[in-house]
Amino acid sequence: MPTIAPVDAFDALGVLAPECGECEGSGMVTYCHGPFERARECEHCHGSGRHLPCPHCTDGTHPQSGDTCPTCDGYAALT
């Protein structure tokens, strides 16, 4: 299975991505599985704790050409 490696917002745009709203910056979310509480990697920020939607695309593709967005490398978000 390939490892997800989102693009760093500072490298791509020169700004720090804000704290992820789903995990509140921890990179982990908790959920209940029956009577047990479990933790897993945040799907929104992929465990980085930071999330910034790509300013150049909405779905990971370049709007004009349909090719992979060069800013976010197809992830539609920066960390």
Side-chain angles (χ1 to χ4, degrees):
M1 179 180 347
T3 302
I4 295 175
V7 179
D8 186 85
F10 193 78
D11 292 341
L13 303 174
V15 297
L16 288 175
E19 186 177 89
C20 176
E22 295 291 316
C23 65
E24 298 177 353
S26 70
M28 301 293 285
V29 293
T30 57
Y31 66 99
C32 291
H33 185 77
F36 305 104
E37 189 173 278
R38 307 233 179 200
R40 68 172 179 243
E41 184 178 88
C42 178
E43 295 174 359
H44 199 65
C45 67
H46 303 289
S48 71
R50 300 195 165 276
H51 179 82
L52 177 70
C54 181
H56 299 116
C57 71
T58 55
D59 61 355
T61 59
H62 194 270
Q64 285 85 18
S65 66
D67 294 333
T68 301
C69 178
T71 304
C72 66
D73 204 24
Y75 291 106
L78 307 166
T79 60

